[in-house]
Amino acid sequence: MKSLCACFFTSSVFNSHSHSHWNHNHSHSHSQSQIMAGSISGPSGGNAANILLNHDFSGGLDSWHVNCCDGYVVSAEEVSQLGISMETDGNCAVITSRKECWQGLEQDITSRVSIGSTYIVSALVGISGLSQGSNDVQATLKLEYHDSATSYLFIGRTSVTRGNWKKLEGTFSLSTMPKRVVFYLEGPAPGVDILIRPVEIGCSNPNNNIARTGCVSTGEDNIVINPQFDDGLNNWSGRGCKIALHDSMGDGKILPKSGKFFASATERTQSWNGIQQDITGRVQRKLAYEVTTSVRIFGNNVTTADVRATLYVQTSDLRDQYIGIANVQATDKDWIDMQGKFLLNGSPSKVVIYLEGPPPGTDILVNSLVVKRAPKTPPSTPPDIKGVAFGVNVIENSNLADGTNGWYPLGNCTLSVKTGSPHIMPPMARDSLGPHELLSGRYILVTNRTQTWMGPAQTITDKLKLFIRKRDVTLKFSGLDASNYSKTSVQVRQIQNNFPVGTCISRMNIDNEDFVDFFVKHFNWAVFGNELKWYWTEPQQGNFNYKDADDLLNLCQKNKIETRGHCIFWEVDGTVQQWIKALNKTDLMAAVQNRLNGLLTRYKGKFNHYDVNNEMLHGSFYQDRLGKDIRANMFKTANQLDPAATLFVNDYHVEDGCDTRSCPEKYIEHILDLQEQGSPVGGIGIQGHIDSPVGPIVCSSLDKLGILGLPIWFTELDVSSTNEYVRADDLEVMLREAMAHPAVEGLMLWGFWELFMSRDNSHLVNAEGEINEAGKRFLALKQEWLSHSHGNVDQQGQYNFRGFHGTYKVDIVIDTKKVSKTFVLDKGDSPMVVSIDF
């Protein structure tokens, strides 16, 4: 007699409503039984690589998830005790405590599947235990979409009897790419245990040929098909133009750099026309790929032109994205190599790589195109640098290894070095200094002291710098008996420093959950890289795009992250849209007013800052066309439309002394000129794209700008070095200068994730999510800028400490009673008193 479970169905696709109501009553009684799933030689006898991780359970249940029930792994020998034998060694996953038909074992395979490919599922399944008759075992896909809809895709099922293996087979393919794809085995009635052996999911290409690694290249393989045109122009196409195959051109003067052939993109009428290949399904999200190609140009009397490698991505919700991979100045004289990297954050529905760039009428020639997994960057070697300004002990000869050198007696006393002191640091000192080497065991003995102030001393005046952002705190206790003061312990921990530390983000980034996780954990402010700029929100006149900015703003608001608006206008000619350049003076003035009204009305009260007219020291597009007053009018109108927003000027090379156009003196003159015209300038933006920063030079620039009395922000900070340790040192210089200067009220990094930075070698996190040395230094500094303290209540019923501004949690313990309190330490000159009632 066959045991039936009411959760089975005949439709191959069903919605979340029908699937979520599988909890039916069953008229048939069921004793405990188990499902077995075992591997065969490969899907349909093939040898496709398995896309499932830990498919044989050699790693226990790693990479698998037990869905609302319990699970564990047993060996082949132990399986025999369940009434079924295994011919080969291996492991099985046992799933127990199932209360619904759909409960079983699942694995997220989102990043290992793609649209347009056919996937073949194969397993051996069986039942065991006291089951009567047969049970159905089923393979299913759960598909979660961006609009929160969920559907389920039936793959296959088979009937299994006790003590016997049955093959379960099925196939699936995806026409669109969901946000999440989960594979799982399910089916028996509630109370029936599941026992699963290795399961295979392989991928065949559209021609039914078995592909490697689930149709996704992950190793040294070139994912480009026909990369050197040995198969003619198969798999290649023109992007808005024609393409042709050649073994030579120009009367035999142009020959392939390698191989026998090369291709040309010809009859180009737009700069974006070129040669392309659809690589959908052959690249994985969150993995870095390296692109290498050889190119040159031909025709139209053009001798040099910019050639770019670009990635077109259509997201699963049908948004278009363009990722710049690399560019090179190509010539008509010889082949030149071009190399770059890219990474996909989300799960795209389409991915196309193409070459573009030269002016219309100029042919692009390509000899080969290779796209492979990017190799890991070799680790950097720490440089041997002496006299580092930050992060070192300012006390000379602190471990007394050189006797009393560097020390002198304060007063008429005598110093000598002895041995025999403890090697372990006392707890109070340990808390203040953090991780520390063992003590040397040496100590200074001071004799002949005649006054209390006499003792060992060092002069450290020239080694100290002003360090602010701290305040004294007094915890005042009431309801506590004086006899218990010394028995009452106090533990103070700072949860968050309220000094603004933010970063640049882009719409593309937030499809990567690893990026988002790092962002919300380590930053409290954000700025959008491009999504608020005019050329992004209105690329063609009247064609608006605020969706990307809205998505970023929603993420920030959800995580209570403050935002800067960058930027309303950009004064540099090369950043202005062509349709704006084509306007006459009257229409341009109207467009400027529409931009102000549209942007600031839409986002009123949502951005704390605005960079009103970016880089006015380096450009003058609007001023040249609309007159000098336009800059002040932009500030005045922005202030009228959103009075709560602080309005900033923003420019580069202000802090490093590298550009006479934007030295601090010129910046001050510029700001004063705006203010004289009535501009409500509320803040000074220093971008901070800097190499090899020198602390005193940066500090001097801040001192000069500080006389204006306006808050200073580093708005786009990044430092670049191929050596991660040098990058870390340079970043530390800038962070400490910002943190230590009283005029600086916040800083923004211009990104942190590799391949999504405006400058190479400035990232803190490598493309595939590994935190590098610069990132580790950044996180260490953030920890350093948290204050912690512990001790006991003093005889006045108080506990005193000094800490950075921010949020604190205090735990007070006496005997078995514990009281906790959270408070925020704001700026202030006098000690903050926090009352705690016992």
Side-chain angles (χ1 to χ4, degrees):
M1 178 179 183
K2 181 177 178 179
S3 299
L4 297 177
C5 179
C7 61
F8 293 129
F9 42 83
T10 58
S11 170
S12 62
V13 181
F14 44 96
N15 61 33
S16 58
H17 177 80
S18 62
H19 192 267
S20 63
H21 289 79
W22 278 11
N23 185 16
H24 297 291
N25 294 321
H26 301 278
S27 58
H28 297 79
S29 61
H30 301 278
S31 56
Q32 285 206 342
S33 61
Q34 292 148 348
I35 301 174
M36 272 66 61
S39 67
I40 56 176
S41 60
S44 300
N47 57 2
N50 198 344
I51 70 169
L52 290 172
L53 302 177
N54 188 29
H55 73 286
D56 59 359
F57 308 108
S58 57
L61 290 178
D62 285 354
S63 302
W64 293 92
H65 175 66
V66 181
N67 192 0
C68 302
C69 46
D70 298 324
Y72 58 93
V73 173
V74 297
S75 65
E77 183 177 332
E78 294 167 319
V79 164
S80 62
Q81 301 174 14
L82 301 175
I84 191 167
S85 61
M86 290 169 50
E87 297 178 358
T88 58
D89 292 336
N91 296 322
C92 295
V94 180
I95 312 302
T96 66
S97 305
R98 297 174 60 253
K99 297 180 176 61
E100 302 287 348
C101 297
W102 50 264
Q103 292 175 348
L105 192 65
E106 65 181 38
Q107 186 172 135
D108 189 324
I109 58 173
T110 310
S111 63
R112 302 187 297 280
V113 293
S114 59
I115 62 173
S117 298
T118 300
Y119 296 87
I120 306 169
V121 179
S122 179
L124 293 178
V125 297
I127 60 172
S128 181
L130 302 177
S131 174
Q132 298 178 357
S134 63
N135 276 258
D136 282 340
V137 181
Q138 178 168 304
T140 306
L141 279 189
K142 181 181 180 181
L143 309 175
E144 298 177 4
Y145 291 90
H146 289 270
D147 59 0
S148 300
T150 301
S151 64
Y152 296 82
L153 181 64
F154 169 75
I155 299 174
R157 84 165 66 99
T158 189
S159 294
V160 188
T161 57
R162 183 179 183 274
N164 297 303
W165 297 103
K166 286 288 294 290
K167 182 185 292 186
L168 188 158
E169 292 182 304
T171 63
F172 68 87
S173 61
L174 303 174
S175 58
T176 60
M177 191 63 204
K179 179 180 179 182
R180 189 165 180 256
V181 183
V182 179
F183 167 81
Y184 62 101
L185 290 172
E186 57 171 338
V192 177
D193 290 351
I194 303 174
L195 188 148
I196 305 171
R197 283 195 62 200
V199 183
E200 302 273 348
I201 301 181
C203 173
S204 64
N205 65 21
N207 296 321
N208 293 323
N209 296 321
I210 299 298
R212 291 181 294 272
T213 320
C215 297
V216 179
S217 175
T218 58
E220 291 298 316
D221 301 327
N222 184 4
I223 68 170
V224 173
I225 301 172
N226 187 25
Q228 290 192 297
F229 309 101
D230 294 321
D231 193 20
L233 295 174
N234 285 339
N235 296 103
W236 295 94
S237 62
R239 190 172 184 84
C241 62
K242 294 182 180 180
I243 59 173
L245 183 69
H246 309 271
D247 57 10
S248 68
M249 283 180 69
D251 299 325
K253 295 179 180 178
I254 301 177
L255 298 173
K257 180 180 180 181
S258 62
K260 299 179 180 179
F261 305 101
F262 60 91
S264 68
T266 187
E267 298 185 27
R268 299 174 61 251
T269 60
Q270 304 288 335
S271 62
W272 53 265
N273 295 157
I275 185 169
Q276 65 181 5
Q277 184 169 134
D278 190 324
I279 57 172
T280 307
R282 285 178 263 151
V283 286
Q284 276 194 47
R285 65 187 294 255
K286 300 198 296 185
L287 295 182
Y289 291 88
E290 185 174 74
V291 177
T292 306
T293 184
S294 295
V295 296
R296 65 189 294 171
I297 58 174
F298 178 79
N300 201 28
N301 294 319
V302 176
T303 58
T304 63
D306 188 53
V307 175
R308 299 188 298 272
T310 305
L311 204 68
Y312 164 71
V313 177
Q314 186 179 67
T315 64
S316 56
D317 58 355
L318 304 183
R319 287 182 294 108
D320 293 337
Q321 297 176 342
Y322 295 87
I323 301 173
I325 301 172
N327 68 287
V328 70
Q329 197 69 20
T331 74
D332 63 346
K333 299 294 190 295
D334 206 351
W335 295 98
I336 187 166
D337 291 335
M338 177 168 60
Q339 189 175 67
K341 295 180 182 180
F342 71 86
L343 176 141
L344 298 177
N345 287 299
S347 300
S349 61
K350 190 171 186 177
V351 184
V352 177
I353 189 169
Y354 65 97
L355 301 179
E356 59 169 339
T362 304
D363 293 353
I364 302 173
L365 311 186
V366 55
N367 185 213
S368 64
L369 183 64
V370 176
V371 179
K372 294 182 178 182
R373 281 287 305 279
K376 297 289 186 182
T377 303
S380 301
T381 302
D384 185 14
I385 300 177
K386 300 184 184 302
V388 180
F390 298 115
V392 297
N393 188 357
V394 299
I395 299 297
E396 182 182 351
N397 186 28
S398 62
N399 63 2
L400 306 176
D402 194 17
T404 59
N405 186 43
W407 298 89
Y408 65 87
L410 190 62
N412 189 21
C413 56
T414 304
L415 307 184
S416 60
V417 173
K418 303 292 184 180
T419 60
S421 67
H423 288 267
I424 298 175
M425 192 174 294
M428 290 293 284
R430 238 185 351 254
D431 288 344
S432 62
L433 291 177
H436 202 278
E437 297 178 359
L438 290 176
L439 300 181
S440 67
R442 293 181 286 269
Y443 64 96
I444 294 178
L445 176 64
V446 185
T447 57
N448 300 325
R449 296 176 65 251
T450 59
Q451 301 291 333
T452 57
W453 48 266
M454 291 182 178
Q458 278 195 30
T459 301
I460 59 173
T461 306
D462 59 346
K463 301 176 183 178
L464 296 182
K465 298 187 70 174
L466 176 66
F467 200 74
I468 60 169
R469 310 191 200 284
K470 281 190 173 185
R471 185 180 178 187
D472 291 323
V473 180
T474 296
L475 304 180
K476 199 166 187 176
F477 299 92
S478 60
L480 187 63
D481 192 281
S483 61
N484 290 323
Y485 285 168
S486 61
K487 303 175 186 176
T488 304
S489 67
V490 180
Q491 180 88 31
V492 180
R493 298 196 65 79
Q494 187 170 9
I495 302 169
Q496 184 179 37
N497 188 312
N498 68 2
F499 182 72
V501 177
T503 184
C504 169
I505 61 175
S506 73
R507 177 58 187 83
M508 220 177 298
N509 295 144
I510 66 174
D511 292 330
N512 185 337
E513 60 274 18
D514 298 334
F515 179 99
V516 173
D517 183 61
F518 191 95
F519 166 55
V520 299
K521 280 183 179 177
H522 302 300
F523 299 96
N524 53 15
W525 277 69
V527 62
F528 308 161
N530 291 303
E531 287 78 358
L532 212 65
K533 291 171 181 170
W534 197 359
Y535 64 63
W536 193 279
T537 62
E538 194 179 4
Q540 292 85 35
Q541 189 170 15
N543 181 15
F544 295 98
N545 170 28
Y546 288 111
K547 186 179 187 308
D548 294 333
D550 289 346
D551 289 347
L552 292 172
L553 190 59
N554 289 338
L555 173 70
C556 293
Q557 291 175 335
K558 176 183 174 183
N559 291 282
K560 299 180 180 179
I561 292 173
E562 305 290 342
T563 50
R564 301 191 76 249
H566 176 80
C567 52
I568 304 175
F569 301 102
W570 197 344
E571 192 70 275
V572 176
D573 185 278
T575 67
V576 180
Q577 306 96 296
Q578 286 301 319
W579 71 264
I580 294 177
K581 291 182 177 181
L583 298 176
N584 60 39
K585 182 175 180 179
T586 302
D587 291 339
L588 178 57
M589 184 66 80
V592 166
Q593 187 62 47
N594 290 338
R595 164 67 171 171
L596 285 161
N597 288 336
L599 184 73
L600 279 84
T601 301
R602 180 184 183 89
Y603 294 115
K604 184 176 182 179
K606 295 182 178 179
F607 289 98
N608 300 69
H609 300 171
Y610 278 106
D611 296 329
V612 177
N613 193 1
N614 199 36
E615 298 175 359
M616 288 182 279
L617 295 177
H618 290 89
S620 56
F621 174 85
Y622 295 101
Q623 180 173 267
D624 291 345
R625 287 157 180 79
L626 300 176
K628 183 178 179 180
D629 291 345
I630 188 58
R631 292 178 167 179
N633 290 338
M634 288 173 173
F635 274 87
K636 293 174 186 177
T637 305
N639 180 248
Q640 291 167 2
L641 291 168
D642 194 351
T646 303
L647 305 182
F648 275 70
V649 292
N650 191 50
D651 228 304
Y652 60 91
H653 283 326
V654 176
E655 76 290 347
D656 57 10
C658 293
D659 190 340
T660 56
R661 291 174 296 175
S662 53
C663 64
E665 291 80 6
K666 290 284 182 68
Y667 210 13
I668 291 170
E669 181 181 340
H670 169 61
I671 295 167
L672 291 174
D673 184 51
L674 286 170
Q675 290 178 329
E676 287 173 3
Q677 297 177 70
S679 300
V681 179
I684 302 172
I686 301 175
Q687 291 185 8
H689 302 292
I690 190 169
D691 295 319
S692 305
V694 178
I697 294 176
V698 175
C699 184
S700 174
S701 297
L702 295 173
D703 288 342
K704 293 173 182 176
L705 292 168
I707 67 172
L708 293 174
L710 295 173
I712 298 173
W713 280 60
F714 283 101
T715 54
E716 304 179 18
L717 178 61
D718 60 23
V719 295
S720 178
S721 174
T722 55
N723 188 307
E724 294 175 7
Y725 292 91
V726 174
R727 194 187 316 158
D729 290 342
D730 289 348
L731 180 63
E732 182 173 357
V733 169
M734 294 303 296
L735 294 178
R736 289 195 184 275
E737 289 294 348
M739 189 69 173
H741 202 284
V744 178
E745 295 195 3
L747 66 91
M748 311 290 295
L749 301 185
W750 201 242
F752 60 89
W753 201 279
E754 186 183 13
L755 302 184
F756 297 94
M757 310 287 294
S758 65
R759 297 203 299 162
D760 292 338
N761 304 310
S762 57
H763 55 282
L764 311 186
V765 181
N766 297 341
E768 296 181 6
E770 180 185 9
I771 301 173
N772 60 32
E773 292 301 325
K776 292 174 183 175
R777 187 76 59 86
F778 169 74
L779 297 180
L781 285 170
K782 290 206 68 184
Q783 284 298 312
E784 179 183 323
W785 294 330
L786 295 175
S787 300
H788 309 302
S789 177
H790 79 266
N792 298 95
V793 177
D794 64 19
Q795 293 304 309
Q796 287 72 44
Q798 299 177 353
Y799 183 82
N800 302 298
F801 73 96
R802 183 172 176 81
F804 290 105
H805 306 140
T807 304
Y808 287 81
K809 182 183 179 184
V810 183
D811 291 324
I812 308 99
V813 178
I814 176 172
D815 297 329
T816 59
K817 186 176 182 180
K818 180 178 179 180
V819 173
S820 297
K821 186 179 181 68
T822 301
F823 68 92
V824 175
L825 177 59
D826 294 317
K827 297 178 182 178
D829 296 326
S830 60
M832 179 177 177
V833 178
V834 180
S835 298
I836 299 176
D837 186 5
F838 245 82

